Amino acid sequence: AAGVIQSPRHLIKEKRETATLKCYPIPRHDTVYWYQQGPGQDPQFLISFYEKMQSDKGSIPDRFSAQQFSDYHSELNMSSLELGDSALYFCASSLVRGSPRNQETQYFGPGTRLLVL
Amino acid sequence: AQKVTQAQTEISVVEKEDVTLDCVYETRDTTYYLFWYKQPPSGELVFLIRRNSFDEQNEISGRYSWNFQKSTSSFNFTITASQVVDSAVYFCALKTVSSGSARQLTFGSGTQLTVLP
C-alpha cells in the first residue's frame, strides 16, 4: 500500500538559510499534519491542513509557514534557520472526511532529517 | 489539556522474554483515542494500534496485546516472546474529540526497548 512520501530525506543547511520540506500524503487522504522531533524528544505538533485550509496550529515558530496544495501535497517552509531547528520533521496524513467521531488514524512518513550548521 | 506519561525511559530484555510498556494518560474528555507507534533506529514512525475510549475490549494480535483500563487511565502494550527486531522506541499517543479541539496527537516521551540476543 502507498505510504506518505517526504522529501528530501536529509537536508543540511547553514544558519539563516531557508529550507523547504515536501510531503505527499497517502492517496485520497485529505488531511496533512507536520510534527517536529528534536533529538531524544517526542514529536511535537506544528500545524495541520484539511482540504487545503489550515485547520490547527501548534508550536510552530513564526519563521515557519506551510500550505497544502490542490493535489493535497504540503510544503513546510522554514526561514532564518537556527541551530535549534535541527530535528526530524514528520509529515502525517489521514482521511478525516467521513471519519466518525474524529477517530481517524494518522500515518507518518519516514521524516526529513534537518541539520542546521 | 491532555498529557501522556511513559514512566519507563528504557527497558532491556533478553530475546523471547515478554515485555510490557506502560502508558498513563490524562484528559477531561469523555471520548478520546489512544495509539501506540513504534520508532525503529531507522527513524520512521510506524502505527501499531488504536483504541477508542468507548471500547474497552482488549485485543491480541500476534505477539502484541493491549490492556486498556479506563479506571486507571492506562493503556499498556505487551510484546510476547520478544525478538531483536522489536528493539525500538515506542510512543503512546492521545487524541481527544471535544468540540473545537484539534486533531493533533499528544505523545508520551517514549520508551526505548532493547531486546538482546
Side-chain angles (χ1 to χ4, degrees):
Chain A
V4 177
I5 297 172
Q6 290 187 246
S7 68
R9 295 291 308 276
H10 302 272
L11 192 57
I12 299 176
K13 290 286 184 178
E14 304 224 340
K15 278 170 53 176
R16 293 181 286 277
E17 285 191 324
T18 60
T20 297
L21 309 185
K22 297 186 179 182
C23 169
Y24 298 86
I26 293 172
R28 291 185 296 282
H29 278 193
D30 51 22
T31 305
V32 166
Y33 312 79
W34 286 97
Y35 290 82
Q36 177 192 57
Q37 185 181 26
Q41 305 293 314
D42 55 286
Q44 295 291 316
F45 171 72
L46 293 178
I47 195 167
S48 64
F49 293 86
Y50 169 66
E51 286 290 347
K52 293 152 279 184
M53 299 287 290
Q54 181 184 309
S55 56
D56 295 303
K57 204 170 182 180
S59 50
I60 183 169
D62 292 340
R63 299 177 288 108
F64 294 4
S65 64
Q67 56 182 326
Q68 187 179 30
F69 295 86
S70 57
D71 64 351
Y72 292 93
H73 95 271
S74 178
E75 294 183 2
L76 177 66
N77 299 294
M78 310 160 71
S79 63
S80 303
L81 287 169
E82 302 174 356
L83 297 179
D85 296 329
S86 296
L88 187 53
Y89 289 84
F90 286 107
C91 171
S93 76
S94 68
L95 177 60
V96 168
R97 188 185 328 112
S99 174
R101 304 175 71 176
N102 204 22
Q103 66 175 297
E104 78 285 356
T105 295
Q106 295 177 26
Y107 294 92
F108 284 77
T112 294
R113 196 171 294 277
L114 172 66
L115 177 61
V116 181
L117 301 176
Chain B
Q2 45 254 25
K3 185 179 177 183
V4 177
T5 301
Q6 294 179 252
Q8 304 153 308
T9 306
E10 297 181 23
I11 300 177
S12 285
V13 298
V14 177
E15 205 170 18
K16 298 182 184 171
E17 287 184 351
D18 298 347
V19 58
T20 295
L21 308 181
D22 298 335
C23 173
V24 173
Y25 60 92
E26 294 175 32
T27 179
R28 293 179 186 169
D29 289 13
T30 54
T31 301
Y32 49 89
Y33 304 94
L34 294 160
F35 302 79
W36 277 97
Y37 285 86
K38 172 183 178 180
Q39 188 172 41
S42 50
E44 71 270 26
L45 273 170
V46 179
F47 165 71
L48 295 177
I49 182 69
R50 182 192 78 210
R51 299 304 299 173
N52 308 331
S53 59
F54 43 89
D55 178 7
E56 287 195 67
Q57 181 179 355
N58 293 310
E59 272 189 30
I60 297 175
S61 175
R63 296 187 298 109
Y64 296 162
S65 61
W66 298 270
N67 188 352
F68 176 35
Q69 297 278 347
K70 239 176 161 175
S71 58
T72 56
S73 298
S74 65
F75 182 47
N76 298 336
F77 171 56
T78 297
I79 303 174
T80 303
S82 59
Q83 301 174 0
V84 173
V85 293
D86 295 328
S87 297
V89 179
Y90 289 81
F91 288 99
C92 180
L94 168 69
K95 183 173 66 170
T96 59
V97 195
S98 57
S99 68
S101 93
R103 295 178 182 270
Q104 71 261 26
L105 296 170
T106 298
F107 286 87
S109 54
T111 297
Q112 170 71 60
L113 173 64
T114 302
V115 181
L116 303 169

